[in-house]
Amino acid sequence: MSMKASDSLPPKRILALDFDGVVCASSGESSVSAIMAAKKFWPSLEIDDSIYDNLRNAIMELRPIIETGYENMLVCRLLVERSQELAKEEREREREMDTSSILSSWNANMRDDLTKQYQTTKEELVKVFGQTRDEFISSDFSAWVGLNEVYSCVREAVEGRGEEMGDFYIITTKQERFVRAILSGSSLSSLAPPSSRLFDLDSGLGPKPNVLKHILRTHQRERKREGERERELKIVFVEDRVETLLQVINDPDIPETKRELYLADWGYNTAAQREMARHHPQITLIDGTQFKDLIIS
């Protein structure tokens, strides 16, 4: 009895990595850049040395709620304004940063409401945040790169592998030039794919599930050209936001047979989110050692 190619060949696995929170610990840089950008964009915002450290630490603490970098500017202003309110109520106390209520209540509607309340747009905030980063890079590249630390488990997994990495993808809400600057400055050129395999904030494809579908369609077209019509494809996606993985699961165009979803436990997620992933039948929670095994397999 003849066998189909799909019966004899294992699925072709396509590796896709999120960047911030999987490859790179960027909260140090994004918090500093957010404060710089907020001071520039809202000159009347009161940010002085007396609150700088607390403010930066608070923005870093809230990193798990951030989906795209510019949102750090909204969080920055919100924290400053709430700390001012607290200071008026209890003048004798040190200026505090209200992170717990923001962490528990933040969602897309709150983000959009703040954008309107501050009489601005996503496009304006993305532009000024990007410009601020460009200026930071131009004035002190080594300091900027130093605030964007590649996770040690990722470095150990990919360092020296070169072409063995294969045709992997990076999917990020960062802008491509910043991804390349970080990898270049971190001496990880092997983890810098060509532009055709790096999907950034400006890719125009929208949310990450759309990017994954685009990758699958691209490989399906290539497979037909190469005569591998029967071979199955499977996207292997490593992400640090459980909400993003749930979006992928809920997309009917990416069935479970075409995906493996992993939540990076070293990334920007909370204990509750990791527990959710641990008990979800379609998500695998992995640590750095397991990530290395995944890259090698």
Side-chain angles (χ1 to χ4, degrees):
M1 182 174 65
S2 63
M3 297 179 64
K4 291 183 179 179
S6 57
D7 294 328
S8 58
L9 290 173
K12 180 176 181 179
R13 299 168 84 247
I14 306 162
L15 179 64
L17 306 176
D18 176 38
F19 192 74
D20 292 300
V22 171
V23 174
C24 173
S26 60
S27 61
E29 180 272 324
S30 61
S31 60
V32 171
S33 293
I35 295 172
M36 291 178 175
K39 290 172 70 173
K40 179 193 304 181
F41 196 60
W42 297 297
S44 61
L45 195 63
E46 297 181 9
I47 302 176
D48 57 30
D49 291 345
S50 67
I51 68 166
Y52 184 90
D53 288 342
N54 282 350
L55 177 59
R56 181 188 170 192
N57 291 337
I59 297 172
M60 292 175 66
E61 184 180 339
L62 292 172
R63 181 58 182 80
I65 68 173
I66 299 298
E67 184 172 7
T68 306
Y70 80 91
E71 296 170 11
N72 285 289
M73 292 178 62
L74 298 173
V75 166
C76 177
R77 177 167 173 175
L78 182 62
L79 284 166
V80 171
E81 291 177 344
R82 289 194 176 181
S83 74
Q84 290 171 339
E85 293 171 5
L86 284 172
K88 289 177 183 178
E89 294 172 4
E90 304 182 36
R91 294 181 183 276
E92 74 281 5
R93 296 180 62 182
E94 181 183 354
R95 291 277 289 277
E96 295 182 354
M97 296 293 157
D98 175 24
T99 56
S100 58
S101 66
I102 298 174
L103 192 62
S104 62
S105 62
W106 185 268
N107 55 40
N109 289 334
M110 185 176 177
R111 175 199 64 202
D112 295 344
D113 288 344
L114 283 174
T115 303
K116 292 177 182 177
Q117 179 183 326
Y118 297 153
Q119 299 181 332
T120 185
T121 64
K122 172 184 175 180
E123 291 72 23
E124 286 182 327
L125 295 172
V126 168
K127 182 178 180 180
V128 72
F129 196 57
Q131 288 175 339
T132 301
R133 277 177 159 159
D134 285 331
E135 291 167 3
F136 193 171
I137 291 170
S138 178
S139 63
D140 196 342
F141 179 72
S142 61
W144 183 84
V145 168
L147 291 170
N148 287 283
E149 185 178 0
V150 172
Y151 290 106
S152 59
C153 63
V154 175
R155 184 180 290 278
E156 291 169 7
V158 305
E159 209 161 31
R161 292 186 62 81
E163 295 182 359
E164 293 180 26
M165 283 292 295
D167 293 342
F168 71 96
Y169 293 79
I170 286 178
I171 305 175
T172 178
T173 54
K174 226 180 194 69
Q175 290 166 306
E176 180 176 348
R177 65 186 185 275
F178 301 128
V179 173
R180 295 198 178 282
I182 291 167
L183 294 177
S184 172
S186 302
S187 302
L188 273 180
S189 57
S190 63
L191 202 57
S195 294
S196 61
R197 290 192 274 111
L198 199 166
F199 296 91
D200 71 342
L201 178 65
D202 301 322
S203 68
L205 292 172
K208 290 179 181 179
N210 291 356
V211 178
L212 296 177
K213 287 185 286 188
H214 172 80
I215 293 171
L216 283 169
R217 287 194 298 266
T218 299
H219 276 265
Q220 285 167 350
R221 288 194 297 267
E222 291 177 355
R223 182 187 61 178
K224 288 181 180 180
R225 285 197 300 267
E226 296 170 1
E228 296 184 26
R229 299 187 180 184
E230 301 288 338
R231 191 173 185 185
E232 297 295 332
L233 298 172
K234 180 171 284 191
I235 197 90
V236 178
F237 182 39
V238 185
E239 166 69 52
D240 75 313
R241 300 188 75 248
V242 72
E243 298 90 343
T244 301
L245 295 179
L246 292 174
Q247 289 174 7
V248 176
I249 290 169
N250 292 328
D251 192 314
D253 295 325
I254 315 177
E256 187 175 357
T257 56
K258 291 188 177 297
R259 54 173 160 78
E260 292 176 17
L261 303 179
Y262 297 89
L263 184 74
D265 77 350
W266 61 89
Y268 297 118
N269 40 62
T270 64
Q273 291 165 340
R274 291 190 289 275
E275 193 65 16
M276 180 191 301
R278 186 176 287 110
H279 291 95
H280 197 291
Q282 297 182 39
I283 300 174
T284 302
L285 182 69
I286 59 171
D287 59 22
T289 300
Q290 292 166 314
F291 175 76
K292 184 175 182 178
D293 294 339
L294 185 68
I295 293 292
I296 294 173
S297 63

